[in-house]
């Protein structure tokens, strides 16, 4: 044994070596500990030594581990002792490289087995055990038949182990715990939980019995139940059974009972007690004391009074029902079935309910409600001054009373058991009549009120006037007994009606130029209408002329025609425009409007008149005269083949088509302007000048003007030839022999001119200055002697060549 010497050596070396090894206790028991440490570079082994903290010079054990081990176990420890654990890292020469220490306690010693175990309920054990010195807590380990292990930490004895499975055998052991760890488990003991409680439910099938039932409890062989009456201190009934239900009879009606029970297991152990449940028996059959009619907020109902049993426990709910599908519920001794109608027969029953359910219904009581009001009231004038009021028979009635009130305030009534009543009536009056029925429940509600009025008188002072072309206004004086006036106007093809309460009526949409028979009929809602009033005749205004047509006779006259649609009428045609109004009159179906200016627009309409009045004017038609021709037109020739035509403004004209026409061709242009440039003009030609002026709507006016003659044609093939004695000859090809030509030579120093007579095609210019450039123009002359200005120019260079000229 060299441990003391080694330990001293480690202690000495530890003073010089760096504390680089970190040591920790992984776990500890009462006889061993598992340590962990950090790896040291270059170490070939690790030595672990354990010594009591209070006696470091007396180690109790050591262990050596290889260079790759960082966890190891050291044994030979004593329970519940604080040790200093030292770990040294050694090299190949067994020299110490580094060292580390830690102080920790060993676990307590093994506990004695549990002393006692008993079931608190089906899921809880109460255990007791002996306490150990130095232990801070205890671990109780349980293992069920499925070998599932569960551990509960407790601090003292006794202790409760909860959340167990009912009727299950467990193996239990105990371990003590301190700061160093936990002891080894004690010897196991076994215990079994008891059966769970049955889950009771109850109901009351009748007013003197209760049925208790529950689901089967696994492993139960018998059940024990107890039933108590509420507010009693003794059990009145106990019952043992192997079934899962229990029917208890002979109980008090409307009473509360308390029930509990438990199950027995095969070992004869009593299971956990169930919770107490309450169950009430059903109440006794109620009795009806009285049935009567009541009114509540304008609704009729049947009030049912009940005989209440004051000895019943708790609150009762009374349920009253009728065979007419009416019900009511109440906790008092009366209930109202509402709403009910007249003439109904109700069979009434009542039942009582408590928490257990309803009782059996009571015996029936038959009740008849108040009668319905008589219907189908009618009046028959049997003779003059005598009327009979009748009505339909009403069931469940003892008698009737009829009430008659006249419009002037007089009243009378009659009582009868039949369904008719006779009274005095006169014409021109209104009567209000009603009938009520009676039986033992009371009188009928207010029913039908019959309004009867005798035939009204015919209106007087009838006046018919035409307020428009298709409307009559009719007025008259008020007639006695009339509430409504029906005005009827009829001609050969239609009938128009007007109903109004006022003594005035307008009949609209009448046919024009028609004779109407107008009848005014007074009416009232009850007696109807007086159809014996006389008729009145009235003629409507003439019809509006239709299908207006305009036909142009000439530039200033149009003929206006229309479809004749009146029997006798005069017509006035009116044309209105910016240039004034023109009219014409006729009794036929056409008329001419004359003196219409050019370029003007008119709105034309026709209106008819007759002895009945003035008709509506026809739909308007637009009349447009042709546009005016421009007063002035001028043609100016711009080039040999192009002329400019211009003209003065023209009223009503929107565009212009100008034409120049000849036997050798024509030119034409279409423009909105007041001028036009026209090409393709042939020289030396006489043209006819015409124009079309066109309005916005396309109306045209043809305009003619003085003819236009184009200028003579410019010559072609102009050539210069040198002559003797410094002269030049200008030669050309002329377009005709009726024109003279003038030749102009314009140089930088001198200008020259020569003229050729009609028919000639050359001209000589003497004494020309040579050595110059000349602009040469040959142009025809007009009859007035003016030169045509648009002939082409040619440039010639005149050179000096001895006595001759060269070009």
């Amino acid at each position: 044994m060299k441990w003391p010497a080694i330990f001293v050596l480690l202690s000495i070396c530890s003073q010089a070596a760096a504390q680089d090894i970190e040591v920790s206790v992984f776990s500890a028991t009462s006889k061993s500990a598992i340590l962990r440490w950090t790896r040291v570079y270059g170490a070939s082994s690790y030595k672990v030594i354990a010594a009591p903290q209070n006696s470091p010079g007396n180690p109790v054990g050591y262990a050596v581990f290889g260079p790759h081990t960082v966890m190891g176990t050291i044994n030979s420890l004593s329970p519940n002792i604080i040790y200093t654990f030292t770990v040294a890292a050694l090299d190949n020469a067994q020299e110490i490289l580094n060292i580390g220490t830690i102080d920790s306690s060993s676990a307590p010693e093994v506990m004695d087995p549990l002393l006692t175990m008993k079931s608190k309920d089906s899921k809880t054990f109460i255990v007791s055990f002996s306490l150990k010195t130095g232990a801070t807590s205890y671990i109780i380990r349980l293992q069920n038949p499925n070998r599932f292990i569960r551990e509960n930490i407790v601090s003292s004895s006794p202790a409760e182990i909860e959340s167990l499975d009912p009727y299950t055998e467990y193996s239990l052991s105990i371990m003590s715990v301190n700061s160093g760890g936990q002891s080894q488990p004690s010897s196991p003991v076994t215990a079994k939980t008891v059966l769970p409680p049955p889950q009771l439910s109850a109901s009351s099938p009748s007013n003197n019995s209760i049925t208790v039932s529950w689901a089967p409890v696994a492993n139960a062989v018998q059940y024990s139940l107890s039933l108590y009456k509420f507010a009693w201190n003794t059990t009145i009934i106990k019952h043992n059974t192997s079934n899962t239900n229990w029917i208890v009879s002979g109980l008090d009606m409307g009473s509360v009972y308390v029930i509990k029970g438990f199950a027995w297991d095969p070992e004869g152990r009593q299971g956990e007690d169930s919770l107490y449940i309450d169950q009430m028996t059903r109440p006794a059959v109620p009795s009806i004391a009285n049935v009567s009619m009541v009114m509540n907020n304008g609704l009729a109902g049947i009030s049912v009074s009940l005989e209440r049993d004051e000895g019943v426990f708790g609150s009762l709910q009374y349920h009253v029902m009728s065979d007419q599908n009416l019900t009511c519920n109440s906790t008092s001794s009366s209930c109202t079935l509402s709403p009910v109608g007249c003439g109904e027969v109700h069979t009434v029953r009542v039942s009582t309910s408590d928490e257990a359910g309803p009782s059996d219904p009571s015996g029936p009581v038959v009740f008849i409600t108040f009668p319905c009001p008589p219907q189908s009231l009618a009046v028959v004038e049997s003779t003059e001054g005598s009327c009979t009021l009748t009505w339909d028979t009403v069931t469940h009635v003892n008698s009737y009373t009829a009430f008659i009130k006249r419009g002037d305030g007089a009243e009378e009534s009659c009582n009868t058991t039949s369904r008719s009543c006779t009274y005095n009536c006169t014409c021109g009056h209104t009567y209000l009549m009603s009938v009520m029925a009676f039986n033992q429940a009371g009188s009928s509600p207010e029913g039908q009120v019959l309004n009867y009025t005798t035939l009204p008188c015919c209106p007087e002072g009838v006046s018919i006037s035409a307020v428009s072309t298709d409307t009559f206004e009719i007025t008259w004086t008020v007639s006695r007994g009339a509430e409504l006036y029906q005005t009827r106007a009829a001609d050969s093809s239609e009938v128009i009606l007007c109903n109004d309460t006022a003594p005035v009526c307008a009949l609209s949409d009448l046919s024009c130029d028609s004779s109407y028979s107008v009848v005014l009929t007074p009416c009232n809602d009850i007696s109807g209408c007086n159809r014996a009033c006389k008729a009145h005749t009235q003629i409507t205004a003439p019809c509006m002329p239709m299908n207006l047509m305009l036909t142009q006779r000439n530039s200033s006259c149009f003929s206006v025609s229309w479809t004749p649609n009146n029997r006798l009428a005069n017509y006035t045609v009116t044309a209105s425009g910016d240039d004034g109004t023109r009219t014409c009159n006729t009794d036929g179906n056409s008329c001419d409007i004359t003196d219409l200016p050019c370029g003007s627009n008119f709105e034309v309409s026709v209106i008819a008149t007759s002895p009945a009045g003035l008709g509506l004017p026809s739909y308007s038609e637009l009349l447009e005269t042709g546009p005016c021709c421009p007063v002035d037109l001028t043609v100016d020739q711009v080039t040999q083949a192009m002329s400019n035509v211009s003209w003065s403004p023209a009223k009503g004209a929107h565009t212009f088509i100008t034409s120049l026409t000849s036997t050798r061709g024509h030119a034409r242009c279409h423009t909105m302007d007041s001028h036009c440039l026209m090409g393709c003009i042939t020289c030396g030609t006489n043209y006819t000048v015409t124009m079309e002026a066109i309005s916005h709507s396309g109306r045209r006016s043809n305009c003619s003007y003085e003819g236009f003659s184009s200028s003579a044609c410019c010559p072609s093939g102009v050539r210069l030839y040198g002559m003797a004695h410094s002269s030049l000859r200008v030669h050309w090809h002329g377009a005709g022999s009726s024109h003279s030509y003038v030749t102009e030579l314009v140089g930088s120093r001198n200008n020259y001119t020569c003229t050729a007579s009609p028919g000639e095609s050359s001209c000589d210019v003497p004494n020309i200055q040579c050595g110059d450039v000349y602009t040469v123009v040959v142009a025809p002359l007009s009859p007035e002697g003016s030169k045509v200005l648009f002939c082409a120019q040619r440039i010639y260079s005149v050179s000096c060549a001895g006595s001759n000229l060269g070009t």
Side-chain angles (χ1 to χ4, degrees):
M1 293 292 293
K2 298 181 179 180
W3 294 350
I6 297 173
F7 184 77
V8 171
L9 175 62
L10 293 177
S11 300
I12 294 172
C13 294
S14 65
Q15 297 177 6
Q19 300 291 321
D20 292 334
I21 299 180
E22 294 182 5
V23 183
S24 62
V25 178
F26 180 74
S27 65
T29 67
S30 58
K31 295 183 180 181
S32 65
I34 299 175
L35 304 180
R36 289 191 300 189
W37 57 87
T38 56
R39 189 186 304 273
V40 176
Y41 179 76
S44 62
S45 63
Y46 297 92
K47 180 173 285 189
V48 180
I49 301 174
Q53 187 185 50
N54 56 6
S55 181
N58 298 309
V60 296
Y62 78 96
V64 177
F65 301 95
H68 303 296
T69 303
V70 293
M71 178 182 289
T73 301
I74 186 167
N75 299 310
S76 302
L77 305 181
S78 298
N80 201 30
I81 300 297
I82 299 176
Y83 289 93
T84 298
F85 296 98
T86 303
V87 178
L90 306 178
D91 58 13
N92 291 328
Q94 297 298 299
E95 297 292 334
I96 296 175
L97 299 176
N98 281 308
I99 193 170
T101 63
I102 188 171
D103 293 336
S104 181
S105 175
S106 60
E109 61 181 322
V110 177
M111 295 280 293
D112 296 328
L114 295 172
L115 298 177
T116 62
M117 293 168 292
K118 63 179 180 178
S119 290
K120 179 182 178 180
D121 54 41
S122 62
K123 296 183 178 182
T124 305
F125 277 148
I126 298 178
V127 299
S128 63
F129 50 88
S130 298
L131 301 180
K132 287 293 182 180
T133 303
T136 57
S137 61
Y138 303 89
I139 297 175
I140 298 176
R141 177 177 291 174
L142 298 92
Q143 182 173 328
N144 64 10
N146 296 325
R147 306 188 66 81
F148 174 77
I149 295 176
R150 164 183 151 185
E151 293 182 345
N152 283 40
I153 299 175
V154 299
S155 60
S156 62
S157 175
E160 290 188 2
I161 310 300
E162 300 176 334
S163 301
L164 304 177
D165 294 329
Y167 197 66
T168 302
E169 187 173 74
Y170 289 89
S171 174
L172 296 91
S173 59
I174 186 168
M175 297 171 283
S176 57
V177 181
N178 66 4
S179 61
Q182 63 188 40
S183 69
Q184 295 295 321
S186 68
S187 300
V189 295
T190 60
K192 181 182 284 189
T193 53
V194 298
L195 292 174
Q199 302 299 312
L200 304 181
S201 62
S203 62
S204 177
S206 66
N207 55 16
N208 66 350
S209 66
I210 291 176
T211 297
V212 185
S213 62
W214 58 93
V217 177
N219 301 300
V221 296
Q222 194 175 18
Y223 303 93
S224 293
L225 296 102
S226 301
L227 183 142
Y228 305 81
K229 187 174 181 179
F230 182 74
W232 289 35
N233 295 325
T234 58
T235 302
I236 63 170
I237 297 178
K238 288 187 176 182
H239 181 67
N240 293 323
T241 181
S242 59
N243 297 324
T244 56
N245 60 50
W246 177 32
I247 300 176
V248 190
S249 302
L251 304 178
D252 296 334
M253 296 180 292
S255 299
V256 178
Y257 291 88
V258 182
I259 308 161
K260 76 168 186 175
F262 57 85
W264 295 91
D265 63 18
E267 293 85 2
R269 298 185 305 159
Q270 178 181 329
E272 181 181 349
D273 282 340
S274 70
L275 297 176
Y276 285 99
I277 64 170
D278 297 337
Q279 179 60 47
M280 178 180 286
T281 55
R282 297 194 182 198
V285 176
S287 299
I288 298 176
N290 184 50
V291 181
S292 61
M293 291 294 305
V294 294
M295 296 294 294
N296 185 15
N297 295 326
L299 295 177
I302 299 175
S303 176
V304 182
S305 299
L306 310 170
E307 294 181 359
R308 184 179 178 88
D309 185 359
E310 299 298 336
V312 175
F313 179 84
S315 62
L316 293 179
Q317 180 83 14
Y318 294 96
H319 180 68
V320 181
M321 66 207 85
S322 163
D323 61 348
Q324 302 295 326
N325 294 324
L326 290 179
T327 60
C328 67
N329 298 309
S330 176
T331 58
S332 65
S333 59
S334 66
C335 187
T336 300
L337 296 172
S338 178
V340 298
C342 59
E344 296 178 351
V345 179
H346 291 261
T347 300
V348 181
R349 290 181 173 84
V350 63
S351 64
T352 309
S353 298
D354 60 12
E355 295 178 3
S359 69
D360 293 332
S362 67
V365 174
V366 178
F367 183 80
I368 301 174
T369 62
F370 53 85
C372 295
Q375 298 295 321
S376 302
L377 274 62
V379 174
V380 178
E381 292 190 45
S382 53
T383 60
E384 185 178 354
S386 179
C387 296
T388 299
L389 174 64
T390 62
W391 56 88
D392 290 344
T393 301
V394 181
T395 58
H396 309 298
V397 170
N398 296 333
S399 63
Y400 302 93
T401 299
F403 301 91
I404 300 98
K405 183 174 182 179
R406 200 167 61 194
D408 59 1
E411 295 183 6
E412 62 177 296
S413 63
C414 69
N415 297 320
T416 180
T417 57
S418 66
R419 61 181 191 89
S420 65
C421 184
T422 301
Y423 66 98
N424 295 323
C425 61
T426 56
C427 63
H429 287 284
T430 299
Y431 294 86
L432 297 178
M433 291 159 284
S434 62
V435 181
M436 296 185 70
F438 297 85
N439 68 6
Q440 292 179 348
S443 63
S444 65
E446 183 178 351
Q448 176 186 357
V449 177
L450 181 61
N451 186 332
Y452 180 75
T453 303
T454 55
L455 287 175
C457 300
C458 290
E460 296 181 355
V462 177
S463 173
I464 304 175
S465 59
V467 295
S468 68
T469 56
D470 65 345
T471 302
F472 288 158
E473 183 182 51
I474 308 167
T475 60
W476 59 90
T477 58
V478 176
S479 59
R480 189 180 68 182
E483 296 176 348
L484 177 72
Y485 299 93
Q486 183 185 89
T487 306
R488 180 178 184 273
D491 66 355
S492 59
S493 61
E494 64 177 347
V495 176
I496 297 178
L497 299 176
C498 169
N499 294 329
D500 206 336
T501 57
V504 61
C505 181
L507 296 176
S508 302
D509 198 26
L510 302 175
S511 298
C512 58
D513 194 39
S514 297
S515 177
Y516 281 89
S517 175
V518 180
V519 178
L520 186 62
T521 302
C523 304
N524 61 45
D525 290 340
I526 301 174
S527 61
C529 302
N530 188 345
R531 304 291 182 184
C533 300
K534 67 178 182 178
H536 305 268
T537 301
Q538 184 71 24
I539 300 174
T540 56
C543 298
M544 179 179 71
M546 302 296 293
N547 302 321
L548 202 65
M549 295 183 62
L550 303 178
T551 303
Q552 187 172 4
R553 294 189 179 279
N554 53 49
S555 60
S556 63
C557 178
F558 276 79
S559 176
V560 184
S561 61
W562 54 91
T563 301
N565 54 357
N566 289 301
R567 294 171 297 174
L568 181 63
N570 292 319
Y571 299 91
T572 299
V573 179
T574 302
S576 299
D578 296 337
D579 292 315
T581 301
R582 273 91 171 152
T583 61
C584 65
N585 298 290
T586 182
D587 58 0
N589 66 327
S590 66
C591 188
D592 290 343
I593 300 292
T594 58
D595 299 328
L596 298 174
C598 63
S600 298
N601 291 318
F602 292 90
E603 194 174 85
V604 180
S605 63
V606 183
I607 191 169
T609 57
S610 74
L614 189 67
L616 291 174
S618 68
Y619 300 120
S620 296
E621 290 288 339
L622 183 63
L623 185 152
E624 180 183 2
T625 58
C628 298
C629 291
V631 175
D632 299 318
L633 184 142
T634 303
V635 182
D636 295 316
Q637 192 163 358
V638 178
T639 68
Q640 179 174 293
M642 187 169 60
S643 296
N644 184 45
V645 183
S646 60
W647 53 88
S648 61
K651 181 180 179 183
H654 177 60
T655 62
F656 303 89
I657 298 177
T658 306
S659 299
L660 299 179
T661 306
S662 71
T663 57
R664 301 175 68 183
H666 69 278
R668 182 180 181 184
C669 70
H670 191 177
T671 183
M672 294 173 57
D673 300 326
S674 59
H675 56 84
C676 182
L677 193 63
M678 302 178 69
C680 301
I681 300 298
T682 303
C683 56
T685 304
N686 293 324
Y687 286 91
T688 299
V689 181
T690 60
M691 174 184 284
E692 277 187 295
I694 306 172
S695 68
H696 279 276
S697 64
R699 287 192 173 273
R700 300 171 180 247
S701 294
N702 294 316
C703 310
S704 298
Y705 297 92
E706 182 180 350
F708 161 71
S709 296
S710 62
S711 63
C713 299
C714 292
S716 60
V718 177
R719 296 289 185 270
L720 267 65
Y721 299 98
M723 304 295 290
H725 308 294
S726 298
S727 63
L728 283 176
R729 174 168 291 178
V730 182
H731 186 275
W732 59 87
H733 298 291
S737 59
S738 59
H739 299 287
S740 298
Y741 293 89
V742 63
T743 299
E744 293 181 351
L745 285 80
V746 179
S748 61
R749 293 187 291 274
N750 295 302
N751 298 331
Y752 303 92
T753 301
C754 69
T755 302
S757 300
E760 295 180 352
S761 60
S762 63
C763 177
D764 293 339
V765 181
N767 302 318
I768 292 297
Q769 179 67 45
C770 64
D772 200 355
V773 175
Y774 292 91
T775 299
V776 180
V777 176
V778 179
L781 296 175
S782 66
E784 292 80 15
S786 61
K787 181 185 72 172
V788 174
L789 301 177
F790 40 76
C791 292
Q793 298 178 348
R794 290 169 175 79
I795 298 176
Y796 291 89
S797 175
V798 178
S799 60
C800 298
S803 60
N804 297 322
L805 298 176
T807 60

